[in-house]
Coordinates of all heavy atoms in Angstrom, one line a residue:
V11 N 137.5 86.3 307.4 CA 137.5 84.9 306.8 C 136.8 85.0 305.5 O 137.2 84.3 304.5 CB 136.7 84.0 307.8 CG1 136.5 82.6 307.2 CG2 137.4 83.9 309.1
G12 N 135.7 85.8 305.3 CA 135.0 85.9 304.0 C 135.9 86.4 302.9 O 135.9 85.9 301.8
S13 N 136.8 87.4 303.2 CA 137.6 87.9 302.2 C 138.7 86.9 301.8 O 139.1 86.9 300.6 CB 138.3 89.2 302.6 OG 139.1 89.0 303.7
E14 N 139.1 86.1 302.7 CA 140.1 85.0 302.4 C 139.5 84.0 301.5 O 140.2 83.5 300.6 CB 140.6 84.3 303.7 CG 141.5 85.2 304.6 CD 141.9 84.5 305.9 OE1 141.8 83.3 305.9 OE2 142.2 85.2 306.8
M15 N 138.2 83.7 301.7 CA 137.5 82.8 300.8 C 137.5 83.3 299.4 O 137.7 82.6 298.4 CB 136.1 82.4 301.3 CG 136.1 81.6 302.5 SD 136.6 79.9 302.2 CE 135.1 79.3 301.4
C16 N 137.1 84.6 299.2 CA 137.1 85.3 297.9 C 138.4 85.2 297.2 O 138.5 84.9 296.0 CB 136.6 86.7 298.0 SG 134.8 86.9 298.5
I17 N 139.5 85.5 297.9 CA 140.8 85.5 297.3 C 141.2 84.0 296.9 O 141.6 83.8 295.8 CB 141.9 86.0 298.3 CG1 141.6 87.5 298.5 CG2 143.3 85.7 297.8 CD1 142.5 88.1 299.7
R18 N 140.9 83.0 297.8 CA 141.1 81.6 297.4 C 140.3 81.2 296.2 O 140.8 80.5 295.3 CB 140.8 80.8 298.6 CG 141.8 79.6 298.7 CD 141.6 78.8 300.0 NE 141.7 79.6 301.2 CZ 140.8 79.5 302.2 NH1 139.9 78.6 302.2 NH2 141.0 80.2 303.3
D19 N 139.0 81.6 296.2 CA 138.2 81.2 295.0 C 138.7 81.9 293.8 O 138.7 81.2 292.7 CB 136.7 81.7 295.3 CG 136.0 80.9 296.4 OD1 136.5 79.8 296.7 OD2 135.0 81.3 296.8
R20 N 139.1 83.1 293.9 CA 139.7 83.8 292.7 C 141.0 83.1 292.2 O 141.1 82.9 291.0 CB 139.9 85.3 292.9 CG 140.3 86.0 291.7 CD 140.4 87.5 291.9 NE 141.5 87.8 292.9 CZ 141.3 88.5 294.0 NH1 140.1 89.0 294.4 NH2 142.3 88.8 294.8
D21 N 141.8 82.7 293.1 CA 143.1 82.0 292.8 C 142.7 80.7 292.1 O 143.4 80.3 291.1 CB 143.9 81.8 294.0 CG 144.6 83.1 294.5 OD1 144.6 84.1 293.8 OD2 145.1 83.1 295.7
N22 N 141.8 80.0 292.7 CA 141.4 78.7 292.1 C 140.8 78.9 290.7 O 141.1 78.1 289.8 CB 140.4 77.9 293.0 CG 141.0 77.4 294.2 OD1 142.3 77.2 294.3 ND2 140.3 77.1 295.2
S23 N 140.0 79.9 290.5 CA 139.4 80.2 289.2 C 140.5 80.5 288.2 O 140.4 80.1 287.1 CB 138.4 81.4 289.4 OG 137.9 81.7 288.1
E24 N 141.4 81.3 288.6 CA 142.5 81.7 287.7 C 143.3 80.4 287.3 O 143.7 80.3 286.2 CB 143.4 82.7 288.3 CG 142.8 84.1 288.4 CD 143.5 85.1 289.2 OE1 144.6 84.8 289.7 OE2 143.0 86.2 289.4
Q25 N 143.6 79.6 288.3 CA 144.3 78.3 288.0 C 143.6 77.4 287.1 O 144.1 76.9 286.1 CB 144.6 77.5 289.3 CG 145.8 78.1 290.1 CD 146.1 77.2 291.3 OE1 145.2 76.5 291.8 NE2 147.3 77.3 291.8
L26 N 142.3 77.3 287.3 CA 141.4 76.5 286.4 C 141.4 77.1 285.0 O 141.5 76.3 284.0 CB 140.0 76.4 287.0 CG 139.0 75.5 286.3 CD1 139.6 74.1 286.2 CD2 137.7 75.5 287.0
Q27 N 141.3 78.4 284.9 CA 141.3 79.0 283.5 C 142.6 78.7 282.8 O 142.7 78.4 281.6 CB 141.1 80.5 283.6 CG 139.6 80.9 283.9 CD 139.5 82.4 284.1 OE1 140.4 83.1 284.1 NE2 138.2 82.8 284.3
R28 N 143.7 78.9 283.6 CA 145.1 78.6 283.0 C 145.2 77.2 282.6 O 145.7 76.9 281.5 CB 146.2 79.0 284.0 CG 147.5 78.9 283.4 CD 148.6 79.5 284.3 NE 148.6 79.2 285.7 CZ 148.2 80.0 286.7 NH1 147.8 81.2 286.5 NH2 148.1 79.5 288.0
L29 N 144.7 76.3 283.4 CA 144.8 74.8 283.1 C 144.0 74.5 281.8 O 144.4 73.8 280.9 CB 144.3 74.0 284.3 CG 144.3 72.5 284.1 CD1 145.8 72.0 283.8 CD2 143.8 71.8 285.3
R30 N 142.8 75.1 281.7 CA 141.9 74.9 280.5 C 142.6 75.4 279.3 O 142.6 74.8 278.2 CB 140.6 75.5 280.7 CG 139.7 74.7 281.7 CD 138.3 75.4 281.8 NE 137.4 74.5 282.6 CZ 136.5 75.0 283.4 NH1 136.3 76.3 283.5 NH2 135.8 74.2 284.1
R31 N 143.2 76.6 279.4 CA 143.9 77.2 278.3 C 145.1 76.3 277.8 O 145.3 76.0 276.7 CB 144.3 78.6 278.6 CG 144.9 79.4 277.5 CD 145.2 80.9 277.9 NE 145.9 81.0 279.2 CZ 145.4 81.5 280.3 NH1 144.1 81.9 280.3 NH2 146.1 81.6 281.4
N32 N 145.8 75.9 278.8 CA 147.0 75.0 278.5 C 146.5 73.7 277.9 O 147.2 73.1 277.1 CB 147.8 74.8 279.8 CG 148.6 76.0 280.2 OD1 148.7 77.0 279.4 ND2 149.0 76.1 281.4
L33 N 145.4 73.1 278.4 CA 144.9 71.9 277.9 C 144.5 72.0 276.4 O 144.8 71.2 275.6 CB 143.7 71.4 278.7 CG 143.0 70.1 278.2 CD1 144.0 69.0 278.2 CD2 141.8 69.8 279.1
R34 N 143.8 73.1 276.1 CA 143.5 73.4 274.7 C 144.7 73.4 273.8 O 144.8 72.9 272.7 CB 142.7 74.7 274.5 CG 141.2 74.6 274.9 CD 140.4 75.8 274.5 NE 140.9 77.0 275.1 CZ 140.5 77.5 276.3 NH1 139.6 76.8 277.0 NH2 141.0 78.6 276.7
R35 N 145.7 74.1 274.3 CA 147.0 74.3 273.5 C 147.7 72.9 273.4 O 148.2 72.5 272.3 CB 148.0 75.2 274.2 CG 147.5 76.7 274.1 CD 148.5 77.5 274.8 NE 148.1 78.9 274.8 CZ 148.4 79.8 275.7 NH1 149.2 79.5 276.7 NH2 147.9 81.0 275.7
A36 N 147.7 72.1 274.5 CA 148.4 70.8 274.5 C 147.6 69.9 273.5 O 148.3 69.1 272.8 CB 148.4 70.2 275.9
R37 N 146.3 69.9 273.5 CA 145.5 69.0 272.6 C 145.9 69.3 271.2 O 146.0 68.4 270.4 CB 144.0 69.2 272.8 CG 143.6 68.5 274.1 CD 142.1 68.7 274.3 NE 141.3 67.9 273.5 CZ 140.0 67.7 273.6 NH1 139.4 68.2 274.7 NH2 139.3 66.9 272.8
K38 N 146.1 70.6 270.8 CA 146.5 70.9 269.4 C 147.9 70.5 269.1 O 148.2 70.1 268.0 CB 146.3 72.4 269.2 CG 144.8 72.8 269.1 CD 144.7 74.3 268.9 CE 143.3 74.8 269.0 NZ 143.1 76.2 268.8
A39 N 148.8 70.8 270.1 CA 150.3 70.6 269.8 C 150.8 69.3 270.1 O 151.8 68.9 269.4 CB 151.0 71.7 270.6
E40 N 150.3 68.5 271.1 CA 150.9 67.3 271.5 C 150.3 66.0 271.0 O 151.0 65.0 271.0 CB 151.0 67.3 273.1 CG 151.7 68.5 273.7 CD 153.2 68.5 273.3 OE1 153.8 67.4 273.2 OE2 153.8 69.6 273.2
L41 N 149.0 66.0 270.7 CA 148.4 64.8 270.3 C 148.5 64.5 268.8 O 148.6 65.4 268.0 CB 146.9 64.9 270.6 CG 146.5 65.1 272.1 CD1 145.0 65.2 272.2 CD2 147.0 63.9 272.9
T42 N 148.6 63.2 268.5 CA 148.5 62.9 267.1 C 147.1 63.1 266.6 O 146.2 63.2 267.4 CB 148.8 61.3 266.9 OG1 147.8 60.6 267.5 CG2 150.2 61.0 267.5
P43 N 146.9 63.3 265.3 CA 145.5 63.5 264.8 C 144.6 62.4 265.3 O 143.4 62.7 265.6 CB 145.7 63.5 263.3 CG 147.1 63.9 263.1 CD 147.9 63.3 264.2
R44 N 145.0 61.1 265.3 CA 144.2 60.0 265.7 C 143.8 60.1 267.2 O 142.6 59.9 267.6 CB 144.9 58.7 265.5 CG 144.2 57.5 265.8 CD 145.0 56.3 265.5 NE 144.5 55.0 265.9 CZ 143.9 54.2 265.1 NH1 143.8 54.4 263.8 NH2 143.4 53.0 265.6
Q45 N 144.8 60.5 268.1 CA 144.5 60.7 269.5 C 143.5 61.8 269.7 O 142.6 61.7 270.4 CB 145.8 61.0 270.2 CG 146.7 59.8 270.4 CD 148.0 60.1 270.9 OE1 148.5 61.3 270.9 NE2 148.7 59.1 271.5
A46 N 143.7 62.9 269.0 CA 142.9 64.1 269.1 C 141.4 63.7 268.7 O 140.5 64.1 269.4 CB 143.4 65.2 268.2
Q47 N 141.3 63.0 267.6 CA 140.0 62.6 267.1 C 139.3 61.8 268.2 O 138.1 62.0 268.5 CB 140.1 61.9 265.8 CG 138.8 61.4 265.2 CD 139.0 60.5 264.0 OE1 139.9 59.8 263.9 NE2 138.0 60.6 263.1
M48 N 140.0 60.8 268.7 CA 139.3 59.9 269.7 C 139.0 60.5 271.0 O 137.9 60.3 271.5 CB 140.2 58.6 269.9 CG 140.2 57.7 268.7 SD 141.0 56.2 269.1 CE 141.5 55.6 267.4
L49 N 139.9 61.4 271.4 CA 139.6 62.1 272.7 C 138.5 63.1 272.5 O 137.6 63.2 273.4 CB 140.9 62.9 273.1 CG 142.0 62.0 273.7 CD1 143.3 62.9 273.9 CD2 141.6 61.5 275.1
H50 N 138.4 63.7 271.3 CA 137.2 64.6 271.0 C 135.9 63.8 271.0 O 134.9 64.2 271.7 CB 137.4 65.2 269.7 CG 136.2 66.0 269.2 ND1 135.8 67.2 269.7 CD2 135.3 65.7 268.2 CE1 134.7 67.6 269.2 NE2 134.3 66.7 268.2
L51 N 135.9 62.6 270.4 CA 134.7 61.8 270.4 C 134.3 61.3 271.8 O 133.1 61.4 272.1 CB 134.8 60.6 269.4 CG 134.9 61.0 267.9 CD1 135.3 59.8 267.1 CD2 133.6 61.6 267.4
Y52 N 135.3 60.9 272.5 CA 135.1 60.3 273.8 C 134.7 61.4 274.9 O 133.7 61.2 275.6 CB 136.3 59.5 274.2 CG 136.1 58.8 275.5 CD1 135.3 57.7 275.6 CD2 136.8 59.1 276.7 CE1 135.1 57.0 276.8 CE2 136.7 58.4 277.9 CZ 135.8 57.4 277.9 OH 135.7 56.7 279.1
Y53 N 135.5 62.4 275.0 CA 135.3 63.4 276.0 C 134.3 64.5 275.6 O 133.4 64.9 276.4 CB 136.6 64.0 276.5 CG 137.4 63.1 277.3 CD1 138.6 62.5 276.8 CD2 137.0 62.7 278.6 CE1 139.3 61.6 277.6 CE2 137.7 61.8 279.4 CZ 138.9 61.2 278.9 OH 139.6 60.4 279.6
D54 N 134.5 65.1 274.4 CA 133.7 66.2 274.0 C 132.4 65.9 273.5 O 131.4 66.6 273.8 CB 134.5 67.1 272.9 CG 135.8 67.6 273.4 OD1 136.0 67.7 274.6 OD2 136.7 67.8 272.5
Q55 N 132.3 64.7 272.8 CA 131.0 64.3 272.2 C 130.3 63.3 273.2 O 129.1 63.1 273.0 CB 131.2 63.7 270.9 CG 131.8 64.6 269.8 CD 130.9 65.8 269.5 OE1 129.7 65.6 269.4 NE2 131.4 67.0 269.5
G56 N 131.0 62.8 274.1 CA 130.4 61.9 275.1 C 130.1 60.5 274.6 O 129.3 59.8 275.2
L57 N 130.8 60.1 273.6 CA 130.6 58.7 273.1 C 131.3 57.7 274.0 O 132.3 58.1 274.6 CB 131.1 58.6 271.7 CG 130.2 58.9 270.5 CD1 129.7 60.3 270.5 CD2 130.9 58.6 269.2
T58 N 130.8 56.5 274.0 CA 131.5 55.4 274.8 C 132.6 55.0 273.9 O 132.7 55.2 272.7 CB 130.6 54.3 275.1 OG1 130.1 53.7 273.9 CG2 129.3 54.7 275.9
M59 N 133.5 54.2 274.5 CA 134.6 53.6 273.7 C 134.1 52.7 272.6 O 134.6 52.7 271.5 CB 135.6 52.9 274.6 CG 136.5 53.9 275.4 SD 137.8 53.1 276.2 CE 138.4 54.4 277.3
T60 N 133.0 52.0 272.9 CA 132.4 51.1 271.9 C 131.9 51.9 270.8 O 132.0 51.5 269.6 CB 131.3 50.2 272.6 OG1 131.9 49.5 273.7 CG2 130.6 49.3 271.6
Q61 N 131.2 53.0 271.1 CA 130.6 53.9 270.0 C 131.7 54.5 269.2 O 131.6 54.6 268.0 CB 129.8 55.0 270.7 CG 128.5 54.4 271.2 CD 127.8 55.5 272.1 OE1 128.4 56.3 272.7 NE2 126.4 55.4 272.1
V62 N 132.8 54.9 269.8 CA 134.0 55.5 269.1 C 134.5 54.4 268.1 O 134.8 54.7 267.0 CB 135.1 56.0 270.0 CG1 136.3 56.4 269.2 CG2 134.6 57.2 270.9
A63 N 134.7 53.2 268.6 CA 135.2 52.1 267.8 C 134.3 51.9 266.6 O 134.8 51.7 265.5 CB 135.4 50.9 268.7
R64 N 133.0 51.8 266.9 CA 132.1 51.6 265.8 C 132.1 52.7 264.8 O 132.1 52.4 263.6 CB 130.7 51.4 266.4 CG 129.7 50.9 265.4 CD 128.3 50.6 266.0 NE 128.4 49.8 267.2 CZ 127.9 50.1 268.4 NH1 127.2 51.2 268.6 NH2 128.0 49.3 269.4
E65 N 132.1 53.9 265.2 CA 132.2 55.1 264.3 C 133.4 55.1 263.4 O 133.4 55.4 262.3 CB 132.1 56.4 265.2 CG 132.3 57.6 264.4 CD 131.2 58.6 264.5 OE1 130.2 58.3 265.1 OE2 131.5 59.7 264.0
L66 N 134.6 54.7 264.0 CA 135.8 54.7 263.3 C 136.1 53.4 262.6 O 137.1 53.3 261.9 CB 137.0 55.1 264.2 CG 136.8 56.5 264.9 CD1 138.0 56.7 265.8 CD2 136.7 57.6 263.8
G67 N 135.3 52.3 262.9 CA 135.5 51.0 262.2 C 136.8 50.3 262.7 O 137.5 49.7 262.0
I68 N 137.1 50.5 264.0 CA 138.2 49.8 264.6 C 137.8 49.1 265.9 O 136.7 49.2 266.3 CB 139.3 50.8 264.9 CG1 138.8 51.9 265.9 CG2 139.9 51.5 263.7 CD1 139.9 52.9 266.4
N69 N 138.7 48.3 266.5 CA 138.5 47.6 267.7 C 138.4 48.5 268.9 O 139.1 49.5 269.0 CB 139.6 46.6 268.0 CG 139.7 45.5 267.0 OD1 138.7 45.0 266.5 ND2 140.9 45.0 266.7
K70 N 137.5 48.1 269.9 CA 137.4 48.9 271.1 C 138.8 48.9 271.8 O 139.1 50.0 272.4 CB 136.4 48.3 272.0 CG 136.2 49.0 273.3 CD 135.2 48.3 274.2 CE 135.2 48.8 275.6 NZ 134.5 48.0 276.5
S71 N 139.5 47.9 271.8 CA 140.8 47.9 272.4 C 141.8 48.9 271.8 O 142.6 49.5 272.6 CB 141.5 46.5 272.4 OG 141.7 46.1 271.1
S72 N 141.7 49.1 270.6 CA 142.5 50.2 269.9 C 142.1 51.6 270.4 O 142.9 52.4 270.6 CB 142.4 50.1 268.4 OG 142.9 48.9 267.9
V73 N 140.8 51.8 270.6 CA 140.3 53.0 271.1 C 140.8 53.2 272.5 O 141.3 54.3 272.8 CB 138.7 53.1 271.0 CG1 138.2 54.3 271.7 CG2 138.2 53.0 269.6
S74 N 140.6 52.2 273.3 CA 141.1 52.3 274.7 C 142.6 52.6 274.8 O 143.0 53.5 275.6 CB 140.8 51.0 275.4 OG 141.3 51.0 276.7
R75 N 143.4 52.0 274.1 CA 144.8 52.1 274.1 C 145.2 53.5 273.6 O 146.0 54.2 274.2 CB 145.5 51.1 273.2 CG 146.9 50.9 273.4 CD 147.4 49.6 272.7 NE 146.9 49.3 271.4 CZ 146.0 48.3 271.1 NH1 145.6 47.5 272.0 NH2 145.6 48.2 269.9
T76 N 144.6 54.0 272.5 CA 144.9 55.3 271.9 C 144.5 56.4 272.9 O 145.2 57.4 273.1 CB 144.2 55.5 270.5 OG1 144.6 54.4 269.7 CG2 144.5 56.8 269.9
I77 N 143.3 56.3 273.5 CA 142.8 57.3 274.5 C 143.8 57.3 275.7 O 144.2 58.4 276.1 CB 141.4 57.1 274.9 CG1 140.5 57.4 273.7 CG2 141.0 57.8 276.1 CD1 139.0 57.1 273.9
A78 N 144.2 56.2 276.1 CA 145.1 56.1 277.3 C 146.4 56.8 276.9 O 147.0 57.6 277.8 CB 145.3 54.7 277.7
R79 N 147.0 56.6 275.8 CA 148.2 57.2 275.4 C 148.1 58.7 275.2 O 149.0 59.4 275.6 CB 148.7 56.6 274.1 CG 149.2 55.1 274.2 CD 149.7 54.5 273.0 NE 150.1 53.1 273.2 CZ 150.2 52.2 272.3 NH1 149.7 52.4 271.0 NH2 150.6 51.0 272.6
G80 N 146.9 59.1 274.7 CA 146.7 60.5 274.5 C 146.6 61.2 275.9 O 147.2 62.3 276.1
R81 N 145.9 60.6 276.8 CA 145.7 61.2 278.2 C 147.1 61.3 278.8 O 147.4 62.3 279.5 CB 144.8 60.3 279.0 CG 143.4 60.6 278.9 CD 142.6 59.9 280.0 NE 142.9 58.5 280.2 CZ 142.0 57.6 280.0 NH1 140.8 57.8 279.7 NH2 142.3 56.3 280.2
E82 N 147.9 60.2 278.6 CA 149.3 60.3 279.2 C 150.1 61.4 278.6 O 150.8 62.1 279.4 CB 150.0 58.9 279.1 CG 151.4 58.8 279.6 CD 151.5 59.1 281.1 OE1 150.5 59.0 281.8 OE2 152.5 59.5 281.6
R83 N 150.0 61.6 277.4 CA 150.8 62.7 276.7 C 150.3 64.0 277.3 O 151.1 64.9 277.6 CB 150.5 62.7 275.2 CG 151.4 61.9 274.4 CD 151.1 62.2 272.9 NE 152.3 61.8 272.2 CZ 152.5 62.0 270.9 NH1 151.5 62.5 270.2 NH2 153.6 61.7 270.3
L84 N 149.0 64.2 277.4 CA 148.5 65.4 278.0 C 148.9 65.6 279.4 O 149.3 66.7 279.9 CB 147.0 65.5 277.9 CG 146.4 65.6 276.4 CD1 144.9 65.5 276.4 CD2 146.9 66.9 275.8
R85 N 148.9 64.5 280.2 CA 149.2 64.6 281.6 C 150.7 65.0 281.7 O 151.0 65.9 282.5 CB 149.0 63.2 282.3 CG 149.3 63.3 283.8 CD 149.4 61.9 284.4 NE 150.6 61.2 284.0 CZ 151.8 61.5 284.3 NH1 152.1 62.5 285.1 NH2 152.8 60.7 283.9
R86 N 151.6 64.4 281.0 CA 153.0 64.8 281.0 C 153.2 66.3 280.6 O 154.0 67.0 281.2 CB 153.8 63.9 280.1 CG 154.2 62.6 280.7 CD 155.3 61.9 279.9 NE 155.1 61.9 278.5 CZ 154.5 60.9 277.8 NH1 154.1 59.8 278.3 NH2 154.4 61.0 276.5
C87 N 152.5 66.7 279.6 CA 152.6 68.1 279.1 C 152.1 69.1 280.1 O 152.7 70.1 280.3 CB 151.8 68.2 277.8 SG 151.9 69.8 277.1
L88 N 151.0 68.7 280.9 CA 150.4 69.7 281.8 C 150.8 69.6 283.2 O 150.4 70.4 284.0 CB 148.8 69.4 281.7 CG 148.2 69.7 280.4 CD1 146.7 69.3 280.4 CD2 148.3 71.2 280.0
Q89 N 151.6 68.6 283.6 CA 152.0 68.4 285.0 C 152.7 69.6 285.6 O 152.6 69.8 286.8 CB 152.8 67.1 285.2 CG 154.2 67.2 284.6 CD 154.9 65.8 284.8 OE1 154.3 64.9 285.4 NE2 156.0 65.7 284.2
Y90 N 153.3 70.4 284.8 CA 154.0 71.6 285.4 C 153.2 72.9 285.1 O 153.8 74.0 285.3 CB 155.4 71.7 284.9 CG 156.2 70.4 285.2 CD1 156.6 69.6 284.2 CD2 156.5 70.2 286.6 CE1 157.3 68.4 284.6 CE2 157.2 69.0 286.9 CZ 157.6 68.2 285.9 OH 158.3 67.0 286.2
S91 N 152.0 72.8 284.6 CA 151.4 74.0 284.0 C 150.7 74.8 285.1 O 150.2 75.9 284.9 CB 150.3 73.6 283.0 OG 149.3 73.0 283.5
F92 N 150.6 74.4 286.4 CA 150.1 75.2 287.4 C 150.8 75.0 288.7 O 151.7 75.4 289.1 CB 148.6 75.0 287.6 CG 148.2 73.6 287.8 CD1 147.5 73.2 289.0 CD2 148.4 72.6 286.9 CE1 147.0 71.9 289.2 CE2 147.9 71.3 287.1 CZ 147.3 70.9 288.3

């Protein structure tokens, strides 16, 4: 049973690494510059949507909509990646 857990953990780790690699590629290739910027500020920098909006001088609703569209693009691109 212990060796089965190690194999499963290794398989999961490999899948996670592949997904992260594909996510990095998809962020560069599939997102518009605006989507990439907002997703970076929101997810990588940890800003709230309100803070992103303030930083970029736009409405919070524009940030929300742009992030949602970017996430959907990434989801469609990555749905077959593992």
